[in-house]
Amino acid sequence: MIPIKPRQAHPDVHAAIPTGALAALLAAYALIRVYLLRSTPLNTDEPQHLHVVWAWSQGLVPYRDVFDNHAPLFHILFAPILRLLGETPDVVLWMRLAIVPVAVAAIGLTALIARRLWDQRVAMWAVVLTCTYPPYLLVSGQFRTDGLWAAAWIATLAVAVCGPWTMRRAWWLGVLIGTTFAISMKSTLLLAGLVIAWGSVAMALPGPARPSLSTCARSAGAILAGVVVVPALVVGWVALRGGFAAMRYGVIDHNLLPALGRTHGQDWRLLLMLALLVLLAYVVRRSVRSADDAALSARRSVVVASAAAYTLLLFGTWPLLTRQDHLPSIPLLAIGVAAWWQARNRPRLAWLPIVLALAGLVTVLHKRLPWDDRLAPYRAALADVLAATTARDPVMDDKGASIYRMRPFYFALEGITQARMQRGLIVDDIPQRLIATNTHLVWMERLPASDGGFINAHYLPARNGLRVAGHDFGPLAGGAMQTVDILFPGPYVLTGATHADAARIDATPYVAPRWLDAGRHVLTVTSPSRYVLVWQPGATLLAPPVEKH
């Protein structure tokens, strides 16, 4: 919507930098991402996303059959890859590897914008600063929606500013905006930031250079026509499979929780945000009005100011702030920093960005050595889950850590769910669901306090944080008699029975394994020992855990 004139780069800019330098930087970044695959600690969001991806790959209906409070496109796109992998404890490693091209694409699109609107030197410094900024480097390679979301939004900005404005470009801009919404509803803030930036720029342009109302109206129509394409396809697909109502709850209603993450007295954040947005509009106005090429300055301002406005909106209004929320804005802000530094033209301090980049890289890499496998504990636990259960066995975990197994409790125990449970908006019926679905294996760290007694009474601690259905009778003397209530029918083994006549269950000599129905059972022992009754497929998990390296 802002006119642009062809611009020739300064003749000495590209001569000072090899043609393949940007490609080399992108290749180096890809290698760094591979370097960090194992040494980046697991985030609990990654298995949560993988569980939903698995549901898509199995033909289930997410939202209806499996809880999810994210938009669906990310999971749809990665479902074929997970289906090809099959059940493997190394699933996080492989799916992180699948994210590497997405992460590189985000950086490549950043370089494209910087090179088109500034020059290759700014593009290179923007890439270097982004790729070596520790918070970005650590988060951008995790398997979560935010990486694809960031890449889609940077592509949106590239379409918006890297070429003459036409109605066709407006339509494609709308398609990409709709794509970001199909990946994450946080795109609302990105779009708001873009609108604020464009409005500030439009008001700053001299009268003759401003787009006419008719052009704005036609452009808005073309953009809106493009926006609906991707969301309509994915929502329609879910609706045809009977998941629309559940999707509306998961993506919208579930996430709208008043005062979530905010404490009393934080209204100052909103006031500060408004003041800084006004300051941002003033800076944009001065930048555009003082530029020799107002149209070019306007497009540059849209890129940087939209990222700045998004960051301010995030700070002032978003209830739960996380590092991954900044993935779409950090590369765009890095362009602004690189352009500002180049404009200062201080040869004596030319080394400063290099030092900052090296410091950021060393800060991350020296603590993330490739042989430091921080996925090992999770991989070991998932391997135990897969070995002890079949696809028919439900596993109770926090957010989908078992990935390939259905959860007996519908809601993932993420932050919003926990807040809703505390307020009584979601019923905590976890014990009832465990019984109804005959769940023999539990893998939880976020266990609600009210459920702790039930879990301790009916599940035995096992290795790698797992719990297996069973009962520890403790040391028993010869002739002792004990009762146990079995809530989860299935095959059980009794450890401590050293010979055929050592124990009887319900007056019948114990033979391993023994099927036990739900109800009360009587154990009678003839030999003194410590007796433990445990669900047979998980019996080996009671062994002491192996050391984690």
Side-chain angles (χ1 to χ4, degrees), residues 6 18 58 94 97 160 179 199 269 278 314 369 387 402 414 417 480 505:
Q58 299 303 300
W94 289 112
L97 184 61
T179 300
R269 291 172 56 171
V278 172
L314 195 68
L369 301 175
S402 54
E414 42 78 52
T417 296
I505 297 179

Side-chain angles (χ1 to χ4, degrees), residues 425-440:
L425 301 175
I426 291 177
V427 177
D428 178 7
D429 60 349
I430 292 176
Q432 292 86 343
R433 293 301 305 156
L434 293 174
I435 295 171
T437 56
N438 199 25
T439 299
H440 295 92

